[in-house]
């Protein structure tokens, strides 16, 4: 019995003539011409409308919370989503990359519940998936793993935690579409993040290989895999500087790339449901 394709390599979408694909092609053309600053000036700023600086987005008091305080807040926000039961609920589960996704850059056609925590690992995420058990999401987007690598966790442990995350989500949310997203590259020697030495100890080739194994797991477990990795790399295979604030975290333009990929993914899903 044949099965439908579950993998979505975003770089392959350029062959498809849809509005979302053309949008992404135009954006990439602008980036290649080193006009990213001019482009982003047409996009609303996360703060007061002024040009966004190359720093992590402001989180206010939430940025100073300890882990338990984060759990308490995420639980309360999940409870609200469970009570309201909005249509087209989408959950972002992961670390600071998900956490700092600017609200105004998320696709507008759905209700978003952000369950990201700064510094989160695959094991930590696995142990707190029950926070949103009572919600009824249409889609759950998972991105996790870079902090495991930074902390020296082996690929085998990371992949096993990913399997358990998938298994848990499929059991508790049987009607929900689970989307595992690839781990993003880092900036290598151009990184300025305070843990730069730890990043340099992780090769981007290792991340690519880990992503390949993650894709295999997603296919075997019959969940979606969204391959974001190629969109964020330069010719050297590292995270493009204009997409990042410090070689690890994303800049506003980096989030525009991610947003566009999510839009493309949603469009393709809608088309597949019609057919």
């Amino acid at each position: 019995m044949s099965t439908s394709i579950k993998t979505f390599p975003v770089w392959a979408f350029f062959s498809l003539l849809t509005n979302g694909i053309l949008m992404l092609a135009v954006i990439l053309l602008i980036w290649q011409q080193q006009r990213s600053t001019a482009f982003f000036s047409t996009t609303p700023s996360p703060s007061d409308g002024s040009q966004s600086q190359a720093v992590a987005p402001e989180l206010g008091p939430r940025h100073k919370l300890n882990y338990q305080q984060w759990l308490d807040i995420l639980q309360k926000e999940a409870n609200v989503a469970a009570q309201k039961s909005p249509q087209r609920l989408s959950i972002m589960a992961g670390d600071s990359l998900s956490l700092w996704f600017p609200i105004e850059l998320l696709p507008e056609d759905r209700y978003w519940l952000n369950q990201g925590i700064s510094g989160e690992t695959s094991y930590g995420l696995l142990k707190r998936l029950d926070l949103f058990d009572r919600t009824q999401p249409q889609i759950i987007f998972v991105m996790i793993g870079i902090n495991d690598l930074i902390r020296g966790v082996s690929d085998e442990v990371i992949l096993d935690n990913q399997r358990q995350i998938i298994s848990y989500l499929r059991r508790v949310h049987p009607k929900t579409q689970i989307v595992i997203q690839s781990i993003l590259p880092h900036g290598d020697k151009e990184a300025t993040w305070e843990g730069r030495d730890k990043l340099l100890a992780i090769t981007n080739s290792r991340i690519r290989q880990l992503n390949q194994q993650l894709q295999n797991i997603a296919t075997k477990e019959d969940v979606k895999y969204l391959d974001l990795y190629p969109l964020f790399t330069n010719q050297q295979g590292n995270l493009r500087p204009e997409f990042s604030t410090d070689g690890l975290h994303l800049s506003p333009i980096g989030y525009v790339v991610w947003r566009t990929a999510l839009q493309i993914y949603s469009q393709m899903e809608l088309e597949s449901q019609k057919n």
Side-chain angles (χ1 to χ4, degrees):
M1 179 177 178
S2 60
T3 58
S4 60
I5 298 176
K6 300 294 180 179
T7 300
F8 288 81
V10 180
W11 53 266
F13 290 173
F14 292 112
S15 62
L16 302 176
L17 296 179
T18 68
N19 290 337
I21 309 313
L22 293 176
M23 181 194 307
L24 184 55
V26 170
I27 290 173
L28 288 180
L29 178 60
I30 293 173
W31 288 328
Q32 290 170 354
Q33 294 175 342
Q34 298 183 348
R35 296 172 56 192
S36 58
T37 300
F39 166 75
F40 195 75
S41 66
T42 65
T43 304
S45 169
S47 52
D48 60 2
S50 60
Q51 185 73 21
S52 179
Q53 300 300 314
V55 296
E58 286 291 337
L59 294 179
R62 293 174 64 127
H63 187 48
K64 301 177 183 179
L65 300 176
N66 61 40
Y67 193 78
Q68 185 56 53
Q69 290 172 325
W70 270 115
L71 294 181
D72 293 341
I73 285 183
L74 295 186
Q75 180 70 82
K76 292 178 181 178
E77 293 176 347
N79 289 344
V80 171
Q83 293 169 2
K84 291 185 176 181
S85 190
Q87 293 185 345
R88 296 176 64 80
L89 172 63
S90 295
I91 295 178
M92 299 199 75
D95 51 35
S96 61
L97 294 175
S98 297
L99 166 66
W100 288 344
F101 207 123
I103 295 176
E104 68 275 10
L105 291 184
L106 286 166
E108 301 91 348
D109 60 344
R110 56 187 64 248
Y111 183 102
W112 290 93
L113 175 62
N114 195 320
Q115 293 279 290
I117 292 182
S118 183
E120 187 62 286
T121 63
S122 59
Y123 179 78
L125 177 59
L126 173 63
K127 294 304 178 182
R128 63 179 176 87
L129 293 175
D130 61 339
L131 294 181
F132 54 87
D133 275 0
R134 295 174 51 244
T135 63
Q136 298 179 1
Q138 182 184 62
I139 307 177
I140 299 175
F141 292 96
V142 177
M143 180 188 286
I144 200 73
I146 188 62
N147 288 313
D148 295 78
L149 293 171
I150 290 172
R151 297 185 184 191
V153 178
S154 69
D155 293 4
E156 292 73 18
V157 171
I158 297 172
L159 294 171
D160 184 62
N161 288 338
Q162 293 269 17
R163 289 189 191 92
Q164 293 186 63
I165 288 171
I166 293 171
S167 177
Y168 183 95
L169 293 177
R170 290 190 65 194
R171 184 178 75 255
V172 177
H173 305 277
K175 297 182 179 180
T176 298
Q177 188 174 113
I178 311 302
V179 182
I180 303 300
Q181 301 170 103
S182 58
I183 301 171
L184 299 183
H186 61 73
D188 199 58
K189 294 181 180 180
E190 295 187 7
T192 59
W193 180 58
E194 58 185 0
R196 180 176 181 272
D197 291 344
K198 295 180 180 179
L199 282 183
L200 294 180
I202 309 162
T203 64
N204 279 315
S205 61
R206 178 186 174 187
I207 295 178
R208 287 196 303 271
Q209 294 171 3
L210 185 60
N211 281 334
Q212 181 60 60
Q213 293 175 287
L214 186 56
Q215 176 179 334
N216 294 339
I217 291 173
T219 301
K220 183 177 180 180
E221 298 296 329
D222 199 33
V223 300
K224 306 290 185 179
Y225 178 77
L226 185 57
D227 190 7
L228 299 172
Y229 188 97
L231 282 178
F232 285 84
T233 57
N234 57 19
Q235 292 182 346
Q236 291 72 42
N238 303 324
L239 178 60
R240 295 175 64 115
E242 62 268 35
F243 293 173
S244 177
T245 61
D246 56 8
L248 175 63
H249 300 97
L250 298 181
S251 65
I253 274 206
Y255 281 109
V256 171
V257 179
W258 194 350
R259 168 200 167 98
T260 307
L262 294 177
Q263 289 178 316
I264 292 172
Y265 173 83
S266 297
Q267 290 173 3
M268 293 193 68
E269 278 300 295
L270 288 175
E271 290 299 320
S272 65
Q273 291 173 7
K274 293 177 182 179
N275 300 329

